PDB file of all heavy atoms in Angstrom:
ATOM      1  N   SER K  58     153.764 128.160  94.320  1.00 83.00           N
ATOM      2  CA  SER K  58     153.641 127.489  95.617  1.00 83.00           C
ATOM      3  C   SER K  58     154.232 126.071  95.489  1.00 83.00           C
ATOM      4  O   SER K  58     154.159 125.429  94.463  1.00 83.00           O
ATOM      5  CB  SER K  58     152.155 127.367  96.025  1.00 83.00           C
ATOM      6  OG  SER K  58     151.413 126.636  95.081  1.00 83.00           O
ATOM      7  N   HIS K 121     160.514 133.157  69.332  1.00 52.00           N
ATOM      8  CA  HIS K 121     161.717 132.361  69.039  1.00 52.00           C
ATOM      9  C   HIS K 121     161.584 130.895  69.529  1.00 52.00           C
ATOM     10  O   HIS K 121     162.491 130.114  69.287  1.00 52.00           O
ATOM     11  CB  HIS K 121     162.939 132.985  69.680  1.00 52.00           C
ATOM     12  CG  HIS K 121     163.226 134.408  69.257  1.00 52.00           C
ATOM     13  ND1 HIS K 121     163.488 134.710  67.927  1.00 52.00           N
ATOM     14  CD2 HIS K 121     163.241 135.560  69.935  1.00 52.00           C
ATOM     15  CE1 HIS K 121     163.680 136.039  67.842  1.00 52.00           C
ATOM     16  NE2 HIS K 121     163.509 136.545  69.036  1.00 52.00           N
ATOM     17  N   TYR K 181     172.890 106.561  89.486  1.00 66.00           N
ATOM     18  CA  TYR K 181     173.764 107.511  90.173  1.00 66.00           C
ATOM     19  C   TYR K 181     173.932 107.137  91.652  1.00 66.00           C
ATOM     20  O   TYR K 181     174.893 107.499  92.289  1.00 66.00           O
ATOM     21  CB  TYR K 181     173.215 108.948  90.076  1.00 66.00           C
ATOM     22  CG  TYR K 181     173.448 109.588  88.760  1.00 66.00           C
ATOM     23  CD1 TYR K 181     172.387 109.897  87.930  1.00 66.00           C
ATOM     24  CD2 TYR K 181     174.724 109.916  88.340  1.00 66.00           C
ATOM     25  CE1 TYR K 181     172.586 110.526  86.690  1.00 66.00           C
ATOM     26  CE2 TYR K 181     174.934 110.555  87.108  1.00 66.00           C
ATOM     27  CZ  TYR K 181     173.857 110.819  86.312  1.00 66.00           C
ATOM     28  OH  TYR K 181     174.051 111.463  85.092  1.00 66.00           O
TER      29      TYR K 181
END
Side-chain angles (χ1 to χ4, degrees):
S58 62
H121 301 298
Y181 283 113

